Amino acid sequence: MQLGPRPATLGLLLLCAAAAGAGDAEELHYRQGEHRADYDREALLGGQEEVDEYVKLSPEEQHKRLKSIIKKIDLDSDGFLTESELSSWIQMSFKHYAMQEAKQQFIEYDKNSDGSVSWDEYNIQMYDRVIDFDENTALDDAEEESFRQLHLKDKKRFEKANQDSGPGLNLEEFIAFEHPEEVDYMTEFVIQEALEEHDKNGDGFVSLEEFLGDYRRDPTANEDPEWILVEKDRFMNDYDRDADGRLDPQELLSWVVPNNQGIAQEEALHLIDEMDLNSDRKLSEEEILENQDLFLTSEATDYGRQLHDEYFYHDEL
């Protein structure tokens, strides 16, 4: 089954990597419609090592840390977790771990430990050598040319993230390079990069035809394949908010940047649907503790990971 069109630059591929694998993970997570807690524990905790660490916590310590997390999610301290509070917490968790990962990468990329990552250091970490393509010379081999284009666009993103024009990126700039969706000054760059890739007629918008890329219907087929129907539905119902048949720059941004807000809202609704025992559309501490296993295998606790991260369960967040 084809996945449909995706932004073709390496930077945007990195942004969409999590979403690209979501379909396969969803099939494993909900096999034949049944929720698999064992999959959550083994795969989504991050591996056997994390599962082992989770098991090491005594029930009392699990209970204590979970109650601390519940208290932090409850922003208005009314004793209940609403959809909005759960969604906000999950989005915060996404961002926290993305930033933690970027900080760890920064240390690995900074080969000479001078507090900045140069373009050469980035190349060495990524490719084990420094790569330098001529911007004006295309390569004959199609795959090599595709890689050249991706590499040059990565270099442009690196240069855009480098606000102080120093020899390398400091930590904040490196985060902007790795996660431009989290940094305001990178937004315009992300939009322009996407327009360069998809806006074939240069009108500043992306039409449905441009959105679908090189797809052309088989003249012998009676209808479009399923994946094209899915992509058309996404274009019309998810991205083209003003229904004018094209994506403006802000609508384009909602396509090329991962929709963590939407994912978080879906998970919040799922938890309420599964755990709300009295149908008041919010969760009490008692309801959560009654369904502790479900809560600990959800994105609300990053599949139990937060119970091992003092940032989340410590009294002062």
Side-chain angles (χ1 to χ4, degrees):
M1 177 180 175
Q2 291 176 278
L3 294 177
R6 287 290 183 272
T9 70
L10 180 58
L12 296 178
L13 283 172
L14 288 170
L15 288 177
C16 293
D24 293 338
E26 189 73 8
E27 290 179 11
L28 291 172
H29 192 184
Y30 292 91
R31 181 170 291 169
Q32 297 180 340
E34 294 295 324
H35 179 261
R36 293 183 56 217
D38 62 323
Y39 174 81
D40 290 332
R41 287 279 178 89
E42 295 172 11
L44 298 175
L45 268 172
Q48 189 60 44
E49 182 179 344
E50 286 78 5
V51 173
D52 291 343
E53 184 181 351
Y54 171 85
V55 173
K56 288 177 184 178
L57 287 179
S58 67
E60 294 77 13
E61 186 62 22
Q62 284 188 22
H63 195 79
K64 176 182 176 182
R65 294 186 185 185
L66 181 56
K67 290 180 71 172
S68 179
I69 290 172
I70 293 170
K71 183 178 179 181
K72 291 181 173 68
I73 300 175
D74 184 14
L75 295 176
D76 60 8
S77 302
D78 68 348
F80 297 95
L81 306 189
T82 63
E83 175 195 339
S84 176
E85 289 171 330
L86 285 164
S87 177
S88 295
W89 177 265
I90 293 168
Q91 289 178 70
M92 182 274 293
S93 176
F94 287 161
K95 184 170 183 177
H96 169 75
Y97 285 118
M99 296 303 102
Q100 290 298 102
E101 181 182 2
K103 290 176 182 178
Q104 181 59 41
Q105 287 178 324
F106 182 81
I107 295 171
E108 295 169 358
Y109 283 52
D110 183 12
K111 301 299 183 182
N112 62 4
S113 302
D114 67 347
S116 69
V117 173
S118 68
W119 178 242
D120 285 353
E121 287 175 321
Y122 172 77
N123 275 265
I124 291 170
Q125 178 67 24
M126 289 291 292
Y127 312 111
D128 293 323
R129 61 192 176 94
V130 176
I131 299 175
D132 186 20
F133 287 113
D134 186 337
E135 294 185 17
N136 302 312
T137 303
L139 301 177
D140 293 333
D141 182 85
E143 288 188 9
E144 291 181 358
E145 173 60 15
S146 177
F147 176 71
R148 186 185 78 93
Q149 292 290 340
L150 295 176
H151 190 264
L152 290 173
K153 288 175 179 178
D154 248 13
K155 187 175 183 180
K156 285 177 62 178
R157 182 162 53 94
F158 189 95
E159 293 170 348
K160 177 64 177 179
N162 189 1
Q163 281 195 300
D164 60 12
S165 300
L169 305 183
N170 60 33
L171 176 58
E172 289 72 22
E173 292 168 337
F174 184 78
I175 289 173
F177 172 69
E178 288 290 327
H179 296 281
E181 76 280 7
E182 300 288 355
V183 182
D184 288 342
Y185 77 84
M186 294 294 289
T187 299
E188 186 62 30
F189 175 82
V190 172
I191 292 173
Q192 288 305 314
E193 190 174 40
L195 284 172
E196 289 175 11
E197 182 67 32
H198 301 285
D199 179 20
K200 301 303 183 183
N201 63 6
D203 66 351
F205 299 88
V206 173
S207 66
L208 176 60
E209 182 179 0
E210 291 168 333
F211 176 82
L212 295 175
D214 296 328
Y215 169 73
R216 297 292 181 273
R217 180 189 288 183
D218 183 342
T220 64
N222 293 325
E223 60 180 17
D224 291 322
E226 181 184 354
W227 72 269
I228 283 291
L229 298 177
V230 170
E231 293 298 328
K232 285 182 175 180
D233 180 74
R234 291 173 61 222
F235 180 92
M236 292 183 290
N237 296 314
D238 294 344
Y239 305 132
D240 185 17
R241 295 168 184 157
D242 59 8
D244 66 351
R246 60 185 187 176
L247 305 185
D248 63 34
Q250 287 304 312
E251 292 170 333
L252 183 61
L253 193 63
S254 69
W255 172 36
V256 300
V257 171
N259 185 13
N260 285 343
Q261 181 178 356
I263 295 170
Q265 287 175 339
E266 287 182 10
E267 180 69 2
L269 285 171
H270 167 69
L271 288 172
I272 291 174
D273 287 341
E274 295 293 327
M275 301 172 68
D276 178 22
L277 300 178
N278 63 1
S279 302
D280 62 356
R281 303 307 297 164
K282 53 189 177 182
L283 302 180
S284 66
E285 182 180 280
E286 291 74 18
E287 287 172 323
I288 293 171
L289 296 177
E290 178 75 18
N291 294 275
Q292 178 173 320
D293 188 67
L294 175 60
F295 202 69
L296 291 176
T297 52
S298 75
E299 287 166 345
T301 61
D302 199 45
Y303 307 101
R305 185 179 179 185
Q306 292 175 8
L307 270 70
H308 304 279
D309 189 337
E310 289 190 16
Y311 180 86
F312 292 96
Y313 71 77
H314 195 269
D315 287 340
E316 294 182 6
L317 181 61

